Amino acid sequence: MKERIVIAGASGFVGRYLEEHYRSEGAEVVLIGRSGPDVRWDDAAGLRAAVSGAAAVINLAGKSVDCRYGDANRAEIFRSRLATTRAVREAIAQSDAPPPVWFNASTATIYRHAEDRPMTESTGELGTGFSVEVAKAWERELFEGDLPGTRRVALRMAIVLGDGSALTPLVNLTRFGLGGPQVDGPWFATTARRNAGTFHEFRARGGRQRFSWVHIADVLGAIEFLRGRSDLDGPVNISAPNPTDNRTLMAELRRLLGRPIGLPAHRWMLELGSIAIRTETELVLKSRWVVPERLLDAGYTFAYPDLAPALRDILSDRGLLHASAAR
């Protein structure tokens, strides 16, 4: 009998990657989304049927944070995560055959801006501000109530690298000669943005904000590893063990793409550009220094522990790797 894997929010590139893998392995994959294709979020009976007897439930649903943090978008970022997580939890609670494990997306952004030391599950300090409050509320919703038959894991994912990821705009900038570091600096703050927790304070200098990342193959690898470890639940950092910084990331991209020159982008340029393309500078200026302590202690072996091989694999698949970097 085929095992059933339920994936909610599979329209993003991580969800599509997981779907393709599990289908290729012969699993029955049930997709939950606003309009299906298999089950809609407003179909409570369908949700119960989907999770009942499933081998695993993976919920990745939530509005992208790659947007301007105005009132409407902030509200939808919260709603889309909390409502879908609550719907999954209620479906599992009402199931006659609850799944043994439920993986729910979270984010490594839950930790504070860190330039002094890495953040682990045991010693990391949670931050403040809008993005952090979203992550905290998301995890509270996941672990709310009693689900005795189902292990719950919060996937605190770093920036996921793959085809269609946050890497794409950085690759495009590099190819056009703009692949220098993203450099923080002073910027004016409005009262509204401070009150909303969406203003990024100037801290890291010279493009040295830490960059924690994970290859998409290790997102899948970690999930499969955790499926087999019934002793592991709660928050788990899904991040490569060797994070880097923004300056090194951009230098590596230039090398692999064969672009010797890359102009830096200073804070004022980033702020104006983020308004134009409807995003936020926090996404590139916050220092995320996250290490996967629990995965390493449990014995997980990363397929891509280091940045250069991870980038080379992704760029090679897309036919972008420069001849000088192909060897």
Side-chain angles (χ1 to χ4, degrees):
M1 184 177 179
K2 290 183 178 182
E3 71 171 3
R4 187 184 333 126
I5 305 294
V6 178
I7 304 177
S11 60
F13 91 101
V14 175
R16 292 194 302 270
Y17 184 90
L18 297 180
E19 177 192 357
E20 290 172 7
H21 167 78
Y22 287 118
R23 289 197 193 281
S24 72
E25 293 291 304
E28 175 193 1
V29 178
V30 176
L31 303 179
I32 302 171
R34 284 174 295 181
S35 56
D38 300 318
V39 183
R40 299 189 316 274
W41 284 113
D42 59 0
D43 180 4
L47 289 173
R48 286 195 301 274
V51 303
S52 294
V57 174
I58 306 169
N59 179 27
L60 307 170
K63 175 180 171 57
S64 171
V65 295
D66 187 11
C67 63
R68 294 295 288 177
Y69 293 162
D71 292 346
N73 280 340
R74 292 201 311 276
E76 182 58 16
I77 286 170
F78 266 109
R79 189 211 64 79
S80 61
R81 284 159 175 73
L82 304 191
T84 53
T85 301
R86 185 180 309 117
V88 172
R89 190 185 71 246
E90 291 174 350
I92 292 174
Q94 296 167 14
S95 168
D96 294 329
V101 61
W102 166 21
F103 299 100
N104 209 77
S106 182
T107 173
T109 298
I110 197 169
Y111 298 109
R112 65 169 171 82
H113 177 105
E115 300 177 55
D116 55 335
R117 64 178 180 85
M119 301 288 106
T120 69
E121 297 93 336
S122 64
T123 65
E125 299 173 48
L126 303 190
T128 58
F130 168 70
S131 297
V132 171
E133 293 308 314
V134 169
K136 290 177 182 177
W138 206 359
E139 292 191 4
R140 282 196 301 271
E141 196 66 55
L142 166 63
F143 296 116
E144 180 73 22
D146 189 26
L147 296 179
T150 300
R151 180 165 52 101
R152 288 175 276 188
V153 179
L155 303 172
R156 289 183 175 173
M157 287 187 281
I159 301 296
V160 181
L161 303 182
D163 188 6
S165 68
L167 190 61
T168 299
L170 298 181
V171 167
N172 291 337
L173 286 173
T174 304
R175 295 176 71 190
F176 286 104
L178 301 173
Q182 284 84 55
V183 181
D184 206 348
W187 190 253
F188 67 90
T190 65
T191 301
R193 284 177 66 79
R194 285 196 182 280
N195 290 342
T198 61
F199 178 72
H200 170 77
E201 298 287 353
F202 169 35
R203 285 166 290 198
R205 295 178 180 272
R208 292 300 182 186
Q209 63 269 27
R210 303 294 296 190
F211 178 76
S212 290
W213 59 276
V214 63
H215 190 291
I216 193 167
D218 279 312
V219 175
L220 169 62
I223 288 172
E224 283 299 287
F225 178 82
L226 291 165
R227 283 183 67 192
R229 290 294 301 264
S230 60
D231 57 319
L232 295 177
D233 61 3
V236 177
N237 291 345
I238 309 297
S239 180
N242 299 313
T244 184
D245 61 29
N246 178 267
R247 182 172 287 273
T248 303
L249 164 69
M250 299 310 297
E252 197 61 46
L253 279 176
R254 293 196 304 274
R255 185 180 71 83
L256 295 174
L257 292 167
R259 298 296 193 272
I261 297 175
L263 299 176
H266 293 274
R267 176 75 181 267
W268 69 267
M269 300 166 65
L270 293 170
E271 291 289 351
L272 296 177
S274 68
I275 294 171
I277 65 174
R278 312 305 299 164
T279 189
E280 292 285 345
T281 57
E282 177 197 54
L283 300 178
V284 295
L285 294 179
K286 179 176 179 177
S287 187
R288 297 170 175 85
W289 192 352
V290 181
V291 172
E293 178 184 61
R294 296 191 71 194
L295 282 176
L296 293 175
D297 287 350
Y300 177 68
T301 300
F302 279 81
Y304 294 95
D306 298 302
L307 181 65
L311 292 176
R312 185 179 294 110
D313 174 75
I314 295 164
L315 296 175
S316 178
D317 281 351
R318 296 175 60 181
L320 296 175
L321 195 64
H322 192 264
S324 64
R327 54 185 180 273

